[in-house]
Amino acid sequence: MTDIRNFTLNFGPQHPAAHGVLRMILELDGEQVERADPHIGLLHRGTEKLAETRSWVQSVPYMDRLDYVSMMCNEHAYCLAVEKLAGVEVPERALYIRTMFDEVTRILNHLLWVGCHALDVGAMTMALYTFREREDLMDVYEAVSGARMHAAYYRPGGVYRDLPDRMPQYEVSKWKNAKTVAAMNENRQGSLLDFLEDFTGRFPKYHSEYHTLLTDNRIWKQRLVNIGVVSPERARQLGFTGAMLRGSGVEWDLRKKQPYAAYDKMDFDIPVGVNGDSYDRYLVRMEEMLQSNRIIRQCITWLKANPGPVMSDNHKVAPPPKADVKSNMEALIHHFKLCSEGIHVPEGEAYAGIEHPKGEFGIYAISDGANKPYRLKIRAPGFAHLAAMDEMARGHMLADVVTIIGSQDIVFGEIDR
């Protein structure tokens, strides 16, 4: 009679539900998970080391490529760390723009997450719905920065430029006739703020469609309820942050507890879960999208009423206006020094953490007074969540591993930095 023994299975790195290049070694007893061992490093690009050889501003685009679904949020933490070190004051209008785009980014992140999570679990339609709304928000990214994903829009001292007065328009082509194009351009006649205001008015209706598709869906609940349960105490011990922590019932949100940008002036709620399972984490993120929509509307109202500068007037950090460069020798010198050497940040160390869509994303920077970081350490929220994979998956079925990975909302750019 043969011995019954466990067998080992490679989950990924090519698995469509691995969300990147995750290789997980699963020890299975039949279809039940006995042990889950995540192996990381396949995507490693050495971002922290690269930052030591780039000027402070040159490292901003590297931040976009960490969690490549939450681009501007990554930039925000980095800029906050540099500003803390350099003692730079950011204009109020730039603070509101950052707050607004952080929340646009949060909705972008959660839309991709819920679409792909549903796809992993077997609900095909959801991704088509969520990508429809992502297109509008990607257009907002493109209008303000010129790029649909890797924006490099935030800068130490503020943002790259003010919000455009006009949204890009669709044009008549052999694929779209004049009537179709006119309908597509109907809400693009005004400024970026007008377009975004129109989107925030439409979004709750779209959001209710997601709920109709998933929230009370029998199969969805069978796949998520009581899967990957983490108690509040254990969530704290494991270093969970963001929706992973709030899904376990811990009301912790840096936007409320340690406000930055203009969050102290915003009115919004922190959704929390009760059971700490995958379904609660789903509900928390769903509600977060509506709260983000609420914050964006408040920012739009303020920004429409309050024009002003969007970049620091400290020309040791931010370049002077082009007109001054052509007529003022001091401005020309500042411009030359910034373009040739970059910012010189005083000696010291600083940590800045933000409420990133995936949890607490932090940048710890050390400066030795040079024009580049002496050391940069990135605190990626997904790293701590993935580390808990063994504990969350143990005792569950193989199919539940996909659900748990989906509920963690991991992106490998930040884990394998």
Side-chain angles (χ1 to χ4, degrees):
M1 184 173 165
T2 56
D3 292 332
I4 296 171
R5 59 188 178 86
N6 294 348
F7 60 94
T8 307
L9 184 77
N10 262 321
F11 183 98
Q14 76 298 331
H15 196 288
H19 291 258
V21 286
L22 165 62
R23 176 186 176 219
M24 196 151 57
I25 298 166
L26 298 175
E27 193 178 305
L28 301 175
D29 177 8
E31 274 198 56
Q32 188 169 311
V33 178
E34 297 280 298
R35 193 170 66 89
D37 182 11
H39 275 221
I40 62 171
L42 291 165
L43 188 67
H44 184 59
R45 289 168 294 179
T47 304
E48 293 168 338
K49 202 67 187 165
L50 278 168
E52 295 174 20
T53 61
R54 303 288 186 278
S55 72
W56 290 96
V57 175
Q58 282 174 334
S59 287
V60 171
Y62 281 107
M63 298 301 121
D64 288 307
R65 289 153 177 83
L66 291 167
D67 175 357
Y68 36 79
V69 190
S70 308
M71 296 71 62
M72 289 198 201
C73 288
N74 304 333
E75 295 172 22
H76 199 168
Y78 179 77
C79 290
L80 284 176
V82 177
E83 286 155 8
K84 197 180 275 190
L85 276 168
V88 177
E89 285 290 319
V90 179
E92 192 174 15
R93 184 172 172 85
L95 294 177
Y96 273 87
I97 290 172
R98 284 180 176 186
T99 304
M100 182 175 79
F101 270 99
D102 274 16
E103 297 310 311
V104 165
T105 306
R106 196 176 312 277
I107 295 176
L108 273 172
N109 179 93
H110 287 356
L111 286 175
L112 183 91
W113 160 78
V114 75
C116 293
H117 186 21
L119 203 60
D120 292 344
V121 172
M124 299 289 289
T125 316
M126 196 65 200
L128 304 175
Y129 277 64
T130 56
F131 273 74
R132 175 189 61 188
E133 277 69 77
R134 272 177 63 86
E135 281 302 305
D136 279 348
L137 295 180
M138 285 292 190
D139 286 348
V140 171
Y141 253 56
E142 189 174 8
V144 82
S145 73
R148 284 168 61 80
M149 282 183 68
H150 303 310
Y153 178 59
Y154 294 9
R155 301 291 161 84
V159 294
Y160 159 57
R161 61 177 179 183
D162 207 346
L163 304 171
D165 294 327
R166 184 170 165 79
M167 277 296 285
Q169 308 274 309
Y170 288 101
E171 292 185 356
V172 177
S173 68
K174 61 181 179 180
W175 295 284
K176 297 184 183 77
N177 61 30
K179 187 180 176 184
T180 306
V181 168
M184 292 171 78
N185 286 333
E186 191 178 347
N187 57 3
R188 293 168 179 264
Q189 301 307 311
S191 66
L192 180 141
L193 287 173
D194 293 329
F195 177 75
L196 206 47
E197 190 170 31
D198 176 72
F199 176 85
T200 58
R202 291 181 281 124
F203 185 68
K205 178 179 173 290
Y206 301 144
H207 191 272
S208 67
E209 291 174 1
Y210 311 153
H211 274 305
T212 304
L213 273 171
L214 287 183
T215 306
D216 288 324
N217 184 303
R218 185 164 51 89
I219 303 169
W220 180 249
K221 290 183 84 170
Q222 283 171 346
R223 291 298 306 272
L224 268 73
V225 173
N226 291 329
I227 301 297
V229 178
V230 183
S231 69
E233 299 76 25
R234 194 65 189 129
R236 286 195 194 95
Q237 290 165 356
L238 289 165
F240 282 9
T241 49
M244 292 290 287
L245 184 60
R246 292 190 287 275
S248 290
V250 181
E251 192 184 333
W252 178 260
D253 190 312
L254 292 178
R255 295 172 296 172
K256 288 273 193 191
K257 307 295 184 185
Q258 298 168 13
Y260 54 94
Y263 281 111
D264 54 339
K265 302 177 186 77
M266 297 292 135
D267 179 31
F268 64 101
D269 300 319
I270 305 172
V272 291
V274 179
N275 304 312
D277 59 3
S278 294
Y279 190 66
D280 270 15
R281 293 190 280 274
Y282 156 75
L283 291 173
V284 163
R285 289 191 182 100
M286 288 291 278
E287 181 57 29
E288 275 184 14
M289 284 195 266
L290 287 181
Q291 296 303 323
S292 292
N293 201 57
R294 204 171 138 194
I295 294 169
I296 292 167
R297 288 188 78 87
Q298 292 169 59
C299 289
I300 290 167
T301 305
W302 191 93
L303 287 164
K304 281 188 170 183
N306 295 275
V310 295
M311 196 57 159
S312 170
D313 58 2
N314 176 353
H315 297 317
K316 294 273 188 281
V317 173
K322 275 288 170 72
D324 292 358
V325 172
K326 294 179 180 179
S327 59
N328 181 313
M329 177 52 89
E330 191 180 358
L332 178 64
I333 293 167
H334 277 308
H335 185 273
F336 174 76
K337 294 285 279 182
L338 280 171
C339 290
S340 59
E341 292 179 17
I343 306 167
H344 281 263
V345 172
E347 274 187 52
E349 53 188 281
Y351 174 80
I354 65 153
E355 190 60 42
H356 186 278
K358 291 176 171 63
E360 182 179 340
F361 180 90
I363 298 285
Y364 174 62
I366 302 175
S367 171
D368 58 0
N371 64 337
K372 49 178 75 82
Y374 173 75
R375 179 79 179 88
L376 193 78
K377 176 75 180 77
I378 298 162
R379 195 269 176 202
F383 191 85
H385 302 155
L386 184 64
M389 192 66 209
D390 177 46
E391 193 168 316
M392 292 175 75
R394 198 168 285 195
H396 286 299
M397 307 298 278
L398 175 59
D400 297 331
V401 172
V402 172
T403 302
I404 294 166
I405 291 174
S407 83
Q408 287 187 349
D409 187 18
I410 55 172
V411 160
F412 255 76
E414 62 169 21
I415 293 169
D416 254 358
R417 60 202 177 281

